[in-house]
Amino acid sequence: MALDPTAPVGDEAGGLVRPAVSADDAARISSELYGIDAAAVELGSNQDRNYLLTHPDGSRSVLRIDNPVFAQEARDAQHAALDAYRRAGVRVPAVLAGLDGALTQTWGGYAVRRSEFVDGVPLVDAGYLAPVVLEEFGALAAASVRALESLAHPGLDRPHMWDMRVAYDETVRLAPAITDPVLRERVIQAAQAAHEALAAVADALPVQAIHGDLTDDNVMGIRGDDARVHPGTVLDLGDLSLGWRVAELAVTASSMLHHEPDRPERVLGTVAAFHRGAELSAAEARAVWPLVVLRAALLVASGWRQLEIDGDNAYARERVAGEQAIFDAATLIPLVEATELVLAEVGLMGAPHGTELRLLATPAPAAAGTLPLRSLLPDLVGEVAMLDPGVESEALEAGAWLAADAEVSLAASALDGGAAAAVLPHGVYRLTRTAIDATDAAKTWPANTEIRLAAGDALRATAPAAGTVLAVGPDALLLALSDGWLLGISGIVPSVVGGESVALGGAIGAVAASAAGSEAPRAVTVGLRRPDALPLTEDHFASAQLVAPERVPAWRRLAPDPAGLLALPERGQRDESGDEQERRSRIFASAQERYYDRPMQIERGWRHHLVDTTGRAYVDMVNNVTGLGHGHPGVADAVNRQIRILNTNSRFLYRELAEYSERLLDLLPPGTGLDTVLLVNSGSEAVDLALRLAQAATGRRTIVSLREAYHGWTMASDAVTTSAYDNPYALESRPDWVHVADVPNEYRGTYRGPGTGPKYAADLGADLAALAAEGRDAAGFICESVLGNAGGVRLPEGYLADAYARVRAAGGLCIADEVQVGFGRMGSTFWGFEQSGVVPDIVTIAKPMGNGFPIGGVITSQRVADALASQGQFFSSAGGNPLSCRVGLAVLDAMRDEGLQQNAAVVGERLRRGFEALAERHALIGPVHGAGLYLGVELVRDRETLEPATAEAAAICERLRELGVIVLTTSERSNVLKVKPPLCLTAESADFVVAALDRVLTEGW
């Protein structure tokens, strides 16, 4: 049946009044037609009536009373579609026959059907949807069109207002119901633009049977193992009909938009997944976003009309805000740009040409041998400096990129150094535009090339390509080039007029001379545009036109690099994180870990911020290794100076080794008796050495370690690592010289709550006695001073003092593993063991000692250290060398000068209070462990049973990454958010992190 776009569809006025069937009526229908005495509760619908029936035995079904506008043929087609879905493996509910065996019943003149009730989680109000869920919706839409592609039935060929082939006409017809004039005009204009874009490809769009309303409201969700809600069972085939195949995708994608309306580009994942399952043609790909916009416009217009004719429809009233959110999101990105994002996502190249795409050759570059910029400024004399404002720029060290005038300074430095011109290149993600403590990525990618010219006389400007002058302004002009591109140039006074043809090298104007006495650089900007992107161009090409990273795939197609025309080297960049991930996968072992499902590529750090290759900044809440913060200039200077002077091994005599060792000893509490330092390269080596020292000093072998501990990856340090999270077989695979004692966790341990320290210590004493009885007397007891691997869980009051006393009474030595929790991180004390008022016999240290440079160490007494001689000489090739010692000294200087321990105390307490305030609002948060800047936010599904929210914790970390926060999980159950940032964390960043976590817990993950 041919569709007449001028004919009204459905109700002449553009809306449908729902059947006048009450809940009491629904109960009667259930009894009379199905023989079930059920209680009925309305579910809501725009045009029909749906009731949930609860049967006497507690089971449920759904009763649907169809709007009279739908014919029986349409219902029969729906039943056929259900069969097709089932054959294809798409989950759908069955229609249940009445007492007479028929699927469709009649009551009061209305057609009635009853179907299975589908239990699950509604998705329409689910809040944020993770990327994997968005992709699953795209895959489901693809499965739908595959299942229905061969379905033929007379009932499919029916006119209705939700057929996207008539969506524009329906929107125009219904728009007068929108009483807000501004919104009404926006809807009409957006629909018109989408309609025009569709007209170019409509004839090439395949038509088949489609669900037509495969949305988050018509798919029942399933709670997955990852604690997210995933699409499950397809519901409500009321809009089943023939339609454009691609409309199935567009309708699904549009329904995803309101889940995070300020980031519409996220639904590109839905598009990509559909494409993988049901490949889009070029015409279909071009139609996707216009159809999304049209669907959104129709939803708004229809919603207002429905309220106009059925004001008591609470379901429709509740949907109005969501429908406008969909429309706002669909129109947030300009239509041309959104379409290019779709094409880029599915890997289709070219510019629109008829119903297809045509590749556009980029303009021919300047002739070989042309000096930089001379194709535009032939009289320029001097060098041209290519500036680097990028993420890895050496000119932006020590946080220089945060200065508001960073780009001005880069150009000034080059021009002051004698360059005639300085170029800020096209396509280089600018670190200078990176925003910190921001939930959204800043606009960092320039679509234009910016040139800064030294002050001086006027400079003649010539055309770098032949073309026709389209427009001129006081200081800008636009050329249409012969190959279809537009070239915009700003910063020159044109000497040509509109319509004039210009040959390659022909005069087009001049850069004005500098004002008398002015040394200010002169600005020239050059940009290429595809003609359909010209309306999106800002400032008449007078600025860089910066683009957010997620929108760069479109702009790379719409605004190619003019470097070739200008005889400049191309420096353009793209996000290569996917390539880098693939590269690692080829050379890494499966045991090597990687953060995140969709990792970003980090190439810069500054203080407590990390920056990826697109200039997106993240608050780093996990890098306790870089205690001072990333990129610390004092450490960098120390490395640079010492590596130029001397780096050898500790068998030679030089002052740095003793100086650094003395500084470490000075940090210990007075009277400890710890007077000897042995330096190595890592925490694992430090623990390994500490174990050897204990065994050598006591003449025994057995080491007692706590359950759920992590101490390292060397053979010995791994032997005392008992964490089942790191090694599921840890407890049953310990060597015979390791004894595992109970972990004193007063939140999750054998004994819970305050006052449990003596009980845990008594148990440890019993273990020591049992070992002695077996002839396995303990050489040492190793324990983190705060249970770092558990997420900063503090030891019970009095436990460590009692435990140390019992170990020493048994003739063993006490080893404090301070690798994670020491070095000022506790805030109130420099060492973690000071929290318990004890003095260990051996202290292991590492991670923050070198601020990322590999340094580890053991501090002990001369007596214990000398025992090592029984096993030969001690030597570490790099441990304690001049370079590592000089770095270590620089770290200690910075910690002192910058007050980082005090900062850990103040900002750490601020963080703790923030997390505890969140716990009052979000039941998922259990206790907040730790102190200073070693905190752990434990997530539990039930505060009574303590069921760990492991899947939720992992998903929350993924969402926090999207919002600019790097935080990861720890503990045996991996349900604790570990918070151990660089000690320079600011109050502002701490507040940002708390706010981001609040948002995730509120909106979803």
Side-chain angles (χ1 to χ4, degrees):
M1 181 182 73
L3 288 173
D4 179 2
T6 65
V9 177
D11 178 81
E12 182 70 28
L16 296 172
V17 178
R18 294 173 299 160
V21 176
S22 67
D24 289 341
D25 293 334
R28 283 194 294 273
I29 294 171
S30 175
S31 176
E32 294 173 10
L33 301 182
Y34 296 96
I36 299 171
D37 293 326
V41 176
E42 187 164 10
L43 293 175
S45 171
N46 263 334
Q47 58 196 18
D48 306 301
R49 292 280 185 181
N50 293 319
Y51 288 94
L52 175 63
L53 301 179
T54 302
H55 311 162
D57 62 359
S59 61
R60 291 174 288 181
S61 59
V62 175
L63 188 71
R64 177 188 180 101
I65 300 93
D66 286 340
N67 196 290
V69 74
F70 300 113
Q72 184 57 41
E73 275 191 339
R75 283 183 283 276
D76 292 340
Q78 292 168 21
H79 300 160
L82 290 172
D83 292 337
Y85 276 141
R86 278 188 283 270
R87 287 193 297 271
V90 177
R91 285 173 289 189
V92 289
V95 178
L96 305 173
L99 292 173
D100 62 359
L103 296 180
T104 302
Q105 303 290 310
T106 302
W107 188 91
Y110 296 114
V112 175
R113 285 174 293 172
R114 189 171 70 95
S115 61
E116 292 176 326
F117 173 77
V118 178
D119 205 0
V121 183
L123 277 154
V124 68
D125 298 318
Y128 167 88
L129 297 181
V132 63
V133 178
L134 295 175
E135 291 176 5
E136 286 168 349
F137 265 102
L140 180 60
S144 176
V145 297
R146 290 198 310 270
L148 301 179
E149 63 185 346
S150 60
L151 181 64
H153 192 284
L156 294 171
D157 197 4
R158 65 183 186 87
H160 66 103
M161 63 177 290
W162 297 107
D163 184 338
M164 294 305 296
R165 293 174 292 177
V166 298
Y168 171 70
D169 301 292
E170 287 299 302
T171 301
V172 171
R173 183 173 294 113
L174 300 176
I178 304 174
T179 58
D180 180 340
V182 174
L183 176 61
R184 182 172 62 247
E185 184 61 22
R186 284 181 59 212
V187 166
I188 292 173
Q189 288 185 0
Q192 177 66 39
H195 178 62
E196 291 173 359
L198 278 171
V201 296
D203 291 343
L205 300 179
V207 174
Q208 67 161 76
I210 60 173
H211 182 287
D213 197 19
L214 193 63
T215 67
D216 57 352
D217 204 16
N218 283 328
V219 177
M220 184 57 71
I222 300 171
R223 183 77 62 181
D225 292 339
D226 60 358
R228 298 183 176 110
V229 182
H230 299 264
T233 303
V234 174
L235 308 173
D236 192 355
L237 274 64
D239 290 331
L240 177 79
S241 70
L242 295 177
W244 285 323
R245 187 185 80 132
V246 68
E248 193 83 294
L249 166 61
V251 168
T252 300
S254 66
S255 76
M256 301 293 99
L257 291 172
H258 71 100
H259 291 278
E260 197 171 15
D262 54 343
R263 297 183 178 188
E265 68 282 347
R266 294 184 70 244
V267 305
L268 292 171
T270 306
V271 175
F274 180 94
H275 182 66
R276 289 192 292 270
E279 187 173 342
L280 293 165
S281 67
E284 287 179 305
R286 287 171 57 187
V288 169
W289 210 264
L291 284 170
V292 167
V293 172
L294 263 182
R295 170 73 176 191
L298 181 55
L299 283 171
V300 172
S302 172
W304 282 75
R305 173 57 181 156
Q306 198 66 38
L307 290 178
E308 186 179 60
I309 65 173
D310 190 7
D312 293 333
N313 189 338
Y315 174 86
R317 187 171 300 280
E318 290 171 2
R319 293 295 182 266
V320 166
E323 288 161 350
Q324 178 150 351
I326 291 173
F327 176 75
D328 291 342
T331 55
L332 186 62
I333 302 176
L335 188 57
V336 168
E337 183 180 346
T339 298
E340 290 303 312
L341 285 172
V342 170
L343 292 170
E345 187 70 23
V346 301
L348 293 174
M349 300 297 295
H353 181 70
T355 61
E356 297 295 329
L357 296 170
R358 178 184 62 179
L359 292 176
L360 286 180
T362 53
T370 303
L371 293 176
L373 294 183
R374 272 46 172 210
S375 57
L376 175 65
L377 303 171
D379 301 331
L380 183 69
V381 177
E383 295 295 319
V384 173
M386 294 295 292
L387 304 179
D388 184 4
V391 171
E392 299 179 65
S393 173
E394 295 182 6
L396 296 172
E397 64 181 10
W401 51 276
L402 288 168
D405 63 348
E407 291 172 10
V408 173
S409 296
L410 286 176
S413 178
L415 297 178
D416 291 346
V423 177
L424 287 162
H426 167 284
V428 172
Y429 289 100
R430 294 189 184 180
L431 180 65
T432 49
R433 300 303 178 104
T434 293
I436 61 173
D437 297 340
T439 56
D440 295 309
K443 296 179 178 181
T444 57
W445 191 88
N448 297 328
T449 296
E450 294 185 286
I451 304 166
R452 299 292 180 263
L453 300 171
D457 297 332
L459 285 172
R460 182 167 56 98
T462 56
T468 302
V469 179
L470 283 186
V472 296
D475 61 352
L477 61 83
L478 183 66
L479 294 175
L481 307 185
S482 58
D483 46 24
W485 294 98
L486 303 180
L487 177 66
I489 305 172
S490 175
I492 66 171
V493 178
S495 61
V496 291
V497 297
E500 184 176 342
S501 295
V502 180
L504 170 65
I508 56 174
V511 178
S514 301
S518 173
E519 295 298 323
R522 295 168 289 173
V524 174
T525 305
V526 181
L528 281 169
R529 291 293 182 277
R530 218 172 68 187
D532 53 350
L534 185 62
L536 310 182
T537 299
E538 300 172 353
D539 305 325
H540 305 288
F541 292 94
S543 67
Q545 179 123 18
L546 293 162
V547 177
E550 62 271 14
R551 293 163 72 166
V552 168
W555 278 94
R556 185 175 282 110
R557 301 157 67 99
L558 297 172
D561 193 347
L565 289 175
L566 302 174
L568 294 172
E570 290 192 10
R571 298 286 172 83
Q573 299 170 334
R574 64 182 182 87
D575 182 0
E576 298 178 343
S577 56
D579 297 341
E580 193 62 30
Q581 183 177 343
E582 174 59 27
R583 184 181 174 195
R584 279 201 186 187
S585 69
R586 292 195 301 269
I587 59 176
F588 269 35
S590 58
Q592 290 176 279
E593 290 184 282
R594 184 197 73 211
Y595 293 149
Y596 297 115
D597 293 337
R598 301 160 192 264
M600 58 287 194
Q601 184 176 342
I602 300 295
E603 298 290 353
R604 189 146 204 143
W606 171 242
R607 291 177 61 80
H608 54 284
H609 298 284
L610 291 173
V611 184
D612 71 18
T613 50
T614 70
R616 203 300 186 226
Y618 306 84
V619 180
D620 178 5
M621 298 299 287
V622 299
N623 261 302
N624 58 336
V625 176
T626 48
L628 306 182
H630 302 281
H632 194 281
V635 174
D637 291 345
V639 171
N640 187 49
R641 177 183 179 278
Q642 191 62 46
I643 200 71
R644 293 172 183 272
I645 297 174
L646 173 70
N647 198 27
T648 184
N649 69 71
S650 60
R651 289 170 170 169
F652 288 96
L653 190 65
Y654 46 86
R655 74 173 64 91
E656 286 83 7
L657 178 55
E659 183 179 353
Y660 183 46
S661 298
E662 289 170 350
R663 288 282 297 277
L664 289 173
L665 293 174
D666 288 343
L667 293 167
L668 293 165
T672 63
L674 302 175
D675 55 10
T676 303
V677 177
L678 301 96
L679 294 174
V680 289
N681 304 320
S682 69
S684 294
E685 286 181 283
V687 170
D688 195 300
L689 177 57
L691 300 178
R692 286 182 60 196
L693 285 168
Q695 290 172 332
T698 62
R700 302 170 175 178
R701 294 184 66 244
T702 303
I703 300 293
V704 178
S705 177
L706 295 180
R707 183 166 48 83
E708 301 186 4
Y710 175 82
H711 294 290
W713 271 106
T714 63
M715 185 73 75
S717 61
D718 181 60
V720 293
T721 291
T722 58
S723 169
Y725 174 72
D726 294 286
N727 176 5
Y729 309 104
L731 294 181
E732 57 260 39
S733 62
R734 295 309 84 196
D736 60 4
W737 56 270
V738 174
H739 174 78
V740 180
D742 196 11
V743 58
N745 186 331
E746 58 186 12
Y747 179 66
R748 282 192 174 275
T750 305
Y751 312 112
R752 299 181 180 181
T756 57
K759 295 179 181 179
Y760 283 114
D763 284 355
L764 176 63
D767 286 354
L768 294 170
L771 289 171
E774 296 170 8
R776 300 173 58 215
D777 295 272
F781 166 66
I782 185 168
C783 171
E784 284 190 287
S785 306
V786 173
L787 301 177
N789 194 59
V793 175
R794 302 177 79 169
L795 298 173
E797 185 72 26
Y799 168 78
L800 201 56
D802 197 345
Y804 276 19
R806 292 174 186 270
V807 170
R808 286 170 175 150
L813 297 178
C814 301
I815 305 169
D817 186 346
E818 296 274 330
V819 170
Q820 291 209 84
V821 301
F823 249 66
R825 184 159 291 279
M826 292 293 100
S828 60
T829 60
F830 191 85
W831 302 101
F833 60 77
E834 293 180 274
Q835 300 276 311
S836 294
V838 298
V839 175
D841 300 300
I842 304 173
V843 180
T844 62
I845 49 179
K847 290 185 185 295
M849 295 175 72
N851 203 54
F853 193 90
I855 306 177
V858 173
I859 302 176
T860 188
S861 64
Q862 189 79 49
R863 178 186 66 82
V864 171
D866 283 349
L868 195 60
S870 66
Q871 300 184 7
Q873 296 296 314
F874 168 74
F875 171 68
S876 173
S877 293
N881 66 28
L883 179 58
S884 63
C885 289
R886 185 53 60 190
V887 168
L889 286 164
V891 169
L892 294 180
D893 288 343
M895 291 187 68
R896 177 198 62 211
D897 297 343
E898 297 170 21
L900 294 185
Q901 182 181 336
Q902 181 184 14
N903 190 69
V906 173
V907 177
E909 182 59 25
R910 186 186 188 98
L911 260 181
R912 167 183 278 282
R913 290 198 306 268
F915 291 141
E916 288 174 343
L918 293 186
E920 295 177 4
R921 299 199 301 276
H922 302 289
L924 194 68
I925 296 181
V928 178
H929 303 298
L933 284 176
Y934 203 115
L935 301 174
V937 181
E938 182 146 2
L939 304 182
V940 293
R941 292 175 178 170
D942 187 300
R943 292 181 180 178
E944 295 299 321
T945 67
L946 306 187
E947 181 184 359
T950 300
E952 291 88 338
I956 285 168
C957 289
E958 295 285 347
R959 176 83 200 283
L960 284 170
R961 181 195 64 80
E962 290 185 15
L963 298 179
V965 176
I966 294 177
V967 67
L968 299 163
T969 63
T970 189
S971 89
E972 290 299 273
R973 292 147 289 277
S974 194
N975 68 314
V976 180
L977 304 181
K978 56 184 172 184
V979 177
K980 47 178 189 170
L983 301 184
C984 56
L985 183 75
T986 61
E988 292 78 11
S989 291
D991 291 347
F992 172 75
V993 170
V994 172
L997 180 56
D998 187 23
R999 176 174 172 179
V1000 173
L1001 294 174
T1002 301
E1003 295 179 355
W1005 50 85

